[in-house]
Amino acid sequence: MRVLVTPTSLSADRDHPALAPLRDLDAELVFNDAGRPLTSDEVARALIGVDAVIAGLDDFDAAALAGADRLRLIARYGAGVDNVDLDAAQARGVAVTRTAGANAAAVAEMAIALAFAAARGIPILDAGVRAGEWPRGRGIELGGRSFGVLGFGAIGRHVAALARGLGMRVSAWDPLLPDAEMAAAGVAPRALDDLCATSDVVSVHVPLVPTTRHLLDATRLAMLPPGAIVINTARGGILDEEAARAALDAGRLHAVAVDVYESEPPSASPLIGHPRVVSTPHSAGHTAEAVTRMAEGTVAAVMALVRGDEPEGLVSARRAPR
């Protein structure tokens, strides 16, 4: 059995204990040597002769899957499947799974960390001290402010709990959940525009789908209270980066904190380098604990394939190729 392993965190830690069950099967593990997510062309070449993939953020589009001659499973190392063409996978008889919730704590903690970093301007203060300066910054406190959560899945719920622990007033929007479920978690359910108009901090936790692309556009950013903070640890493209830059330059936003970008690496992003933008490299889910949970979840999916069982986290089941 040949298994392609593309996540950069696992490719840098090839002896991770979670991979041991595959080695015990004498599976051949093929790793990503690029040090970054693979392009569609690179995925297409790597998939030749591969039975299963532990998939990172690489581009598994229809073109990448077209030449997959033995592929039976794409096990997403993470919660999102927006980088996988599910229709193309199913048409080729390839099952797709994900490890929903495995990195929820890691991403939630990063979202709150970014909120603090943005509120207090920590990166600028750190850079100044490192440069031999002694800067004086005036940040804002989070306690007592309003915190809006866009998307109330596993990550959004965890973020809401942490924000409530800071003494923040938390509201949430999720069109797929009944209001009663959000209220039961101690947060105020709100319509999207109402949440934007009443939140000093907005944190994004929805998947990237056609209806959420540029969900936070110029119109909704203008609804935010003056001096608001926007955090995106979900997917690039949900926040309109050009609109966010314009809102920063106009002084309407206190800060923006982003871990994800419309194009990665984000060398052309209008947000990179702005003094009131906190930038991290799509690393919110990369803690030692989350890496282990995601690795164990994807390996379990591959092992289920070997046994002929239905794997957990199934997003798209196999069917006979056309």
Side-chain angles (χ1 to χ4, degrees), residues 199-262:
S199 297
D200 298 311
V201 181
V202 173
S203 191
V204 179
H205 303 288
V206 295
L208 178 62
V209 295
T211 56
T212 62
R213 181 169 291 280
H214 287 183
L215 186 71
L216 289 182
D217 57 8
T219 299
R220 289 206 173 95
L221 291 174
M223 294 177 183
L224 299 177
I229 294 171
V230 175
I231 304 160
N232 187 10
T233 55
R235 283 292 186 269
I238 299 170
L239 172 66
D240 183 334
E241 295 178 5
E242 293 283 356
R245 173 64 185 249
L248 285 166
D249 289 343
R252 294 196 303 273
L253 295 179
H254 177 76
V256 171
V258 284
D259 185 56
V260 290
Y261 311 84
E262 294 200 45

Side-chain angles (χ1 to χ4, degrees), residues 3-249:
V3 180
L4 174 64
V5 182
T6 70
T8 54
S9 53
L10 281 183
S11 294
D13 187 9
R14 301 184 181 194
D15 294 324
H16 195 288
L19 298 175
L22 298 178
R23 291 196 165 95
D24 290 343
L25 287 178
D26 290 328
E28 179 187 359
L29 303 185
V30 181
F31 291 92
N32 171 10
D33 292 322
R36 54 165 174 76
L38 301 177
T39 66
S40 172
D41 287 345
E42 290 170 330
V43 170
R45 291 192 293 271
L47 285 179
I48 297 172
V50 164
D51 299 283
V53 182
I54 294 175
L57 294 167
D58 324 86
D59 191 355
F60 288 87
D61 62 7
L65 298 175
D69 52 344
R70 286 167 41 185
L71 187 64
R72 292 185 286 159
L73 173 69
I74 298 173
R76 262 291 289 125
Y77 177 84
V81 292
D82 52 285
N83 62 318
V84 181
D85 188 324
L86 298 179
D87 290 337
Q90 191 172 58
R92 297 194 63 83
V94 178
V96 180
T97 63
R98 63 182 185 137
T99 52
N103 63 359
V107 177
E109 289 183 9
M110 176 66 105
I112 296 298
L114 289 174
F116 277 117
R120 301 299 299 271
I122 291 172
I124 293 294
L125 300 178
D126 175 77
V129 174
R130 289 172 183 269
E133 303 166 359
W134 200 244
R136 282 290 176 264
R138 178 175 293 180
I140 61 174
E141 297 176 5
L142 296 180
R145 294 183 182 270
S146 55
F147 193 105
V149 181
L150 298 184
F152 208 63
I155 297 171
R157 291 170 190 267
H158 202 128
V159 169
L162 294 175
R164 290 182 66 210
L166 297 173
M168 303 187 77
R169 304 186 311 276
V170 182
S171 59
W173 167 80
D174 193 317
L176 301 180
L177 291 180
D179 287 355
E181 190 168 335
M182 290 181 272
V187 306
R190 295 190 187 276
L192 177 57
D193 290 353
D194 185 28
L195 181 145
C196 290
T198 57
S199 297
D200 298 311
V201 181
V202 173
S203 191
V204 179
H205 303 288
V206 295
L208 178 62
V209 295
T211 56
T212 62
R213 181 169 291 280
H214 287 183
L215 186 71
L216 289 182
D217 57 8
T219 299
R220 289 206 173 95
L221 291 174
M223 294 177 183
L224 299 177
I229 294 171
V230 175
I231 304 160
N232 187 10
T233 55
R235 283 292 186 269
I238 299 170
L239 172 66
D240 183 334
E241 295 178 5
E242 293 283 356
R245 173 64 185 249
L248 285 166
D249 289 343

Side-chain angles (χ1 to χ4, degrees), residues 276-309:
R276 285 184 288 117
V277 173
V278 181
S279 301
T280 52
H282 206 142
S283 58
H286 290 176
T287 62
E289 296 86 351
V291 165
T292 295
R293 288 191 293 266
M294 290 188 293
E296 288 176 345
T298 53
V299 168
V302 177
M303 298 298 289
L305 175 73
V306 172
R307 295 191 303 267
D309 298 336

